[in-house]
Every structure is written in structure tokens, then in C-alpha cells.
Amino acid sequence: MIPAPFEYLAPTTVEDALAALAEHGEDAKILGGGQSLLPVLRMRLNAPEMVIDLGKIESIRGIRDDGDAIVIGAMTTHAAVGSDPLVAEHAALVSRAVDHLADAQIRHRGTFGGALAHADPAGDLGAPALALGAQFVIAGPGGTRTVAADDFFIDLFETAIGEDEILTEVRIPKHTGWGAHYEKFVRVAHQWPIVAVAAAVRVEGGVIAEARVGLTNMGNTPLRARSVEEALVGVQATEDAVREAAGKAADGTNPPSDLNGQASYRKHLATVLTRRAVVTAAGG
Ligand SMILES: Cc1cc2nc3c(=O)[nH]c(=O)nc-3n(C[C@H](O)[C@H](O)[C@H](O)COP(=O)(O)OP(=O)(O)OC[C@H]3O[C@@H](n4cnc5c(N)ncnc54)[C@H](O)[C@@H]3O)c2cc1C
């Protein structure tokens, strides 16, 4: 289908984009890579009067080393994130998740910030961002604020980004030397997961010293499997030893039931995928 008619602006600075947002208010929509927004417009599920394209704002594209964090500009494509050596070295969990995100065509257009702002509970980037304790930098009319991952994801397709704000970058604390794995269960290749698990572990002498585990599509937002993380500390990095801790993966979750699987099936999947993700991350 053809989208409803809209006006189009492509500012070159965040300030100009914010000014356009302020001027057009709820009639405006931000365009990142367009991989989620354009299908929505074409199906006429949304009909903004003004589309503000961030594609010409160079300051929010790219990846940099900032001491104890890796900073990823919101308009950096999935392909650029997935092939970046800094991300691979210091935030390998993000690289592993991007490896599984959609197909090459979408990874070359879709953006890191756009996917996180879209907040699809089945999106592949939320769980790794949550597990690694990412910080979201959001620009608005009153200046810039930073929101912790725990407070960023609010509900289905809803984040802490206000209607007059723009996500500019995501800061990911370095997890250098941690093992990482993203275990994604799909029915059809290159699609959103039925359930996925993001795991990063620090192993010392064959024993798990620290663990971070995030769950995809196990509720309205990405979730952190804290009871698994706690149970993994001090456990041998072997499949048998990890099994018991991974059994807690569905604790406190509220997954959907749909044509791809009932909630009870997803809860079972979460435990199996958590075991696989942790064992692989730990090098077992
Ligand atoms: C066929 C297909 C398969 C896919 N498979 C997967 C998959 O397996 N896993 C997965 O995770 N994703 C998948 N996706 C989605 C893909 O990751 C998109 O790139 C992503 O959801 C949106 O990113 P975008 O940059 O294209 O954002 P857009 O589509 O441009 O925008 C999405 C939303 O975020 C808002 N937005 C964008 N950027 C910003 C910003 N900087 N600040 C504030 N708001 C912003 C927009 O206003 C819009 O509401 C798939 C998409 C398609 C079409």
C-alpha cells in the first residue's frame, strides 16, 4: 500500500530535529532506518503529517571508545555495529545478537537506536542492552538526560523517550574479556525470535564469577533473569552445573501466547535456551 501523504524534513543537526519535533508535536514522527516505521506507514497504521529523517545527522552515527564504555550513535546501522572491532572486544554480547538480527538488507538500513526506540518485545537488541547495563542518552528541549536500561523499557513499544525527544546514543559499559552468546529460537530464518536469551559471563579458573542474562519476548519488555544470574555465581562452567541455575529463567516472566507458542512453551524454552547460552558463553 502507499502511505498517506506526509511532509518530509531531513535536518543536519540534533537541535534542528528537536526544533522540528517541537513545532509539529504529535503530528510528527522520527525516521531512523525506516525498517519498522515504513511498513507501519505503508499499512496506514500510522499517518503522521511530518516525517523527520535523522539520516543526515552525522553526529549521532558511529561508534567510539569512551574509557569505561563503548558509545554507539543512535543512527549507526546494525551492519556497522555487527562488524565493529570495539564492540566485538568490549561488548561481544551486542555483536552476537546483531549476528542474528533479521537479514543483511535490513541490517544495512536499520539502526541501533531505531530498534531500541521501537521497543518491540521480540526485538533482538533490548535483552543484550539490558543485560550489559546500557545507558540511553536522550536529547530534548530541556537538554540531554541519561536513562539507565532498567528504566528505559516501559511497556510494549513504549520507552522513556518522550514525544519531544530523540535518542542520540547508547553507552554500553565495557565487559572486556567476558564470554558472550545470544541463543535465538526461530521458526523461520531471519525473523524475530519466539524466545531468545542473551548471556555474558566472566569465568575465573573454570568457575563463573559474574553473569548477566537478558530475556527476549518473555514479557512486554526485555527482562533481566536476575535469579539465574545470582544462582550462576560460583558454579562450574559446565552444562550439568549450569542446568539448575538455568531452570530459574522463567521466574517472574509473563510471556505471550500466540500462534508461535503458548506461554508455558515459552517458559520451557527460556530455561533450555538459557542453559545453552550460558554454557556457550562460558566456553563449555
Ligand atoms: C522483515 C523484517 C525482519 C526483521 N527482523 C528483525 C529481527 O529478527 N530482530 C530485530 O530485532 N528486528 C528485526 N526487524 C526490525 C529491524 O531491526 C529495524 O531496524 C528496527 O526495528 C527499527 O530500526 P529503524 O532504524 O529501521 O527504525 P525506524 O523504523 O525508522 O523507526 C522505528 C521507531 O523508532 C522511532 N525512532 C527511530 N529512531 C529514533 C531515535 N533516534 N530517537 C527516537 N525515536 C526513534 C521511530 O519514530 C519509530 O517509531 C525486522 C524488520 C523487518 C522489516
Side-chain angles (χ1 to χ4, degrees), residues 21 28-40 46 52 54 60 73-78 97 100-103 106-107 109-120 122-126 137-138 157 159 161-162 165-169 182 184 186 188-193 216:
L21 260 187
K29 198 79 187 141
I30 292 288
L31 178 69
Q35 299 306 293
S36 295
L37 183 61
L38 292 188
V40 164
N46 198 328
I52 303 166
L54 304 184
I60 59 172
M75 284 300 289
T76 311
T77 62
H78 303 312
H100 293 276
L101 192 156
D103 56 36
I106 288 159
R107 290 198 294 272
R109 296 293 308 179
T111 66
F112 195 71
L116 289 164
H118 190 53
D120 184 335
D124 287 305
L125 298 181
V137 182
I138 298 170
F157 300 102
T159 69
I161 307 171
E165 293 182 313
I166 292 172
L167 176 66
T168 55
E169 59 188 30
Y182 189 68
K184 172 168 171 172
V186 283
V188 180
H190 306 310
Q191 277 295 349
W192 289 267
T216 306

Side-chain angles (χ1 to χ4, degrees), residues 170-194:
V170 182
R171 301 176 61 85
I172 303 183
K174 284 184 181 172
H175 284 70
T176 318
W178 288 50
H181 187 67
Y182 189 68
E183 186 77 23
K184 172 168 171 172
F185 190 82
V186 283
R187 221 162 43 87
V188 180
H190 306 310
Q191 277 295 349
W192 289 267
I194 295 171

Side-chain angles (χ1 to χ4, degrees), residues 93 178-182 199-203 275-284:
L93 186 55
W178 288 50
H181 187 67
Y182 189 68
V201 294
R202 188 171 65 76
V203 178
R275 172 167 46 82
R276 289 182 191 163
V278 171
V279 170
T280 309

